[in-house]
Amino acid sequence: MIFMGFGFLATFLVRYGFSGSGFNVLLAAMAIQWAIMMNGFLLPQRQYRREIHISMKSVIEAELCAASALVAMGAVHGKTNPVQLLLMALVEVTGFVINQWILRTLLHADPVYSIMLLHIFGALFGVMVSWVLHREGINPKHEKEKTDRNTGLFAMLGTLFLWMFWPSFNSALVYHRWERELKLTVIYGTYLALAVSAVMAISVSMLTNSKGKMNMVHIQSSALSGGVAIGVAMTAVHTPWIAMTIGFFASLLSALGFRYMKDHMLFAFECHDTCGVINVHAIPGILGWFANLILRLASSESTIAMRFAVYQICVLLITVCMSLVMGTATGLFLKWSFWRPQQDRKCFDDQAFWEFPHLVVKK
């Protein structure tokens, strides 16, 4: 999912396929290594206080942290150079691990729940970086910000990788033997949410088009929104119809956001979100948080329910504030001319970073 799913999905731009897949490998590999170190420093295991212990669990947690960095990268896709992306990934992973440390230390949050907030944190972080780095040259739409048949097919291949393996993504940290039943419940619920979101994404795309045609971009992204939403609420979902309902509303909001919200964000807030991560990750993630809150309150007594509601709201507020503040600071840091930001005419173009032997002019 990290290397093939996100990698192929990032190739949708017609002249940014090399950079989309290549930079994805660079960021993912670097972010995983950095996340292992940061988790070891801030979230050490009890039996390994003075050393960073490498295990399957620590590697999986590091890859989930790397996923949050790749989500953030989607908001600035095509508008930054590799150095800026590396710095952004390092800061994002650091901020996300610090956010987990705050939630687990101060609020005693469940480790699985705190790490599954990666969608909300990564999306809002990336959107704030994109907002700070906004330039008039890509307004209203850059001439190279388009797709074609080949890039759309490769991006759909990435969607299929993510769609197929998302149940294992959500259930990766549910690993104890006595949690086997919960693990299977998470897998089944994630699959059902994804299935409903795929159908809903296609339906909304057709219904909102004047000619009744489907938009491949909507399907590539909105079909995954159910997996995002159910991931945040997975420990509270125990029946199939609830998982399907969450997938239904997540895909509905995501597809409508792609159809109407992206252009309005650029017009009203001067925020250019290339991959629409706010529609795929932030909104479904918040929907999953809200579903988790409602399901927990419905099964609790009034006094306990009130305390849990305050607790959940604090968790979300801390995550949102951390992502917004660190995203803004990172954007200001990356805006320095020292990092040699891309010129407007070189945005969304591979030739700024990659060799093309067949285009070399021999003197």
Side-chain angles (χ1 to χ4, degrees), residues 104-153:
R104 296 185 193 183
T105 304
L106 300 182
L107 300 180
H108 302 286
D110 178 59
V112 176
Y113 176 68
S114 65
I115 200 169
M116 292 312 295
L117 294 173
L118 67 92
H119 303 285
I120 300 175
F121 188 95
L124 295 180
F125 183 97
V127 166
M128 291 307 298
V129 174
S130 180
W131 175 66
V132 175
L133 296 179
H134 179 75
R135 59 188 75 180
E136 295 296 332
I138 57 176
N139 192 11
K141 189 172 183 179
H142 197 278
E143 59 180 355
K144 299 176 184 177
E145 192 185 354
K146 55 186 178 182
T147 185
D148 64 4
R149 292 172 62 92
N150 294 329
T151 58
L153 182 61

Side-chain angles (χ1 to χ4, degrees), residues 1-65:
M1 288 183 65
I2 299 298
F3 291 96
M4 296 190 69
F6 281 102
F8 279 122
L9 187 59
T11 62
F12 67 97
L13 292 176
V14 66
R15 301 186 64 175
Y16 205 69
F18 281 19
S19 300
S21 57
F23 293 166
N24 180 85
V25 173
L26 174 65
L27 259 67
M30 189 67 189
I32 289 172
Q33 297 174 72
W34 184 245
I36 290 175
M37 295 179 63
M38 291 302 300
N39 284 330
F41 286 133
L42 293 179
L43 305 171
Q45 299 181 29
R46 293 181 179 178
Q47 64 269 37
Y48 301 104
R49 283 294 182 182
R50 296 186 178 181
E51 60 186 16
I52 298 176
H53 182 68
I54 305 298
S55 63
M56 183 60 70
K57 180 175 179 292
S58 66
V59 174
I60 290 175
E61 289 182 346
E63 291 189 348
L64 293 174
C65 293

Side-chain angles (χ1 to χ4, degrees), residues 76-236:
V76 297
H77 190 63
K79 300 171 291 187
T80 48
N81 60 43
V83 176
Q84 289 177 310
L85 287 175
L86 276 176
L87 293 172
M88 176 180 170
L90 294 176
V91 176
E92 199 279 342
V93 169
T94 303
F96 182 60
V97 175
I98 292 175
N99 183 71
Q100 287 187 73
W101 178 83
I102 293 174
L103 295 181
R104 296 185 193 183
T105 304
L106 300 182
L107 300 180
H108 302 286
D110 178 59
V112 176
Y113 176 68
S114 65
I115 200 169
M116 292 312 295
L117 294 173
L118 67 92
H119 303 285
I120 300 175
F121 188 95
L124 295 180
F125 183 97
V127 166
M128 291 307 298
V129 174
S130 180
W131 175 66
V132 175
L133 296 179
H134 179 75
R135 59 188 75 180
E136 295 296 332
I138 57 176
N139 192 11
K141 189 172 183 179
H142 197 278
E143 59 180 355
K144 299 176 184 177
E145 192 185 354
K146 55 186 178 182
T147 185
D148 64 4
R149 292 172 62 92
N150 294 329
T151 58
L153 182 61
F154 274 106
M156 192 61 195
L157 182 62
T159 298
L160 291 177
F161 271 106
L162 292 169
W163 198 93
M164 288 189 299
F165 293 106
W166 209 285
S168 63
F169 181 84
N170 282 347
S171 62
L173 292 178
V174 185
Y175 62 94
H176 291 300
R177 290 182 179 179
W178 55 86
E179 294 178 333
R180 185 174 184 274
E181 184 177 351
L182 175 60
K183 189 180 186 74
L184 291 176
T185 302
V186 170
I187 292 173
Y188 302 150
T190 302
Y191 173 75
L192 291 173
L194 285 168
V196 173
S197 64
V199 175
M200 194 61 192
I202 296 174
S203 303
V204 173
S205 182
M206 292 178 61
L207 293 173
T208 56
N209 185 278
S210 59
K211 297 181 179 180
K213 295 184 178 182
M214 293 171 282
N215 188 314
M216 182 61 83
V217 175
H218 299 168
I219 299 170
Q220 288 166 354
S221 302
S222 298
L224 302 171
S225 58
V228 174
I230 198 70
V232 181
M234 61 184 182
T235 56

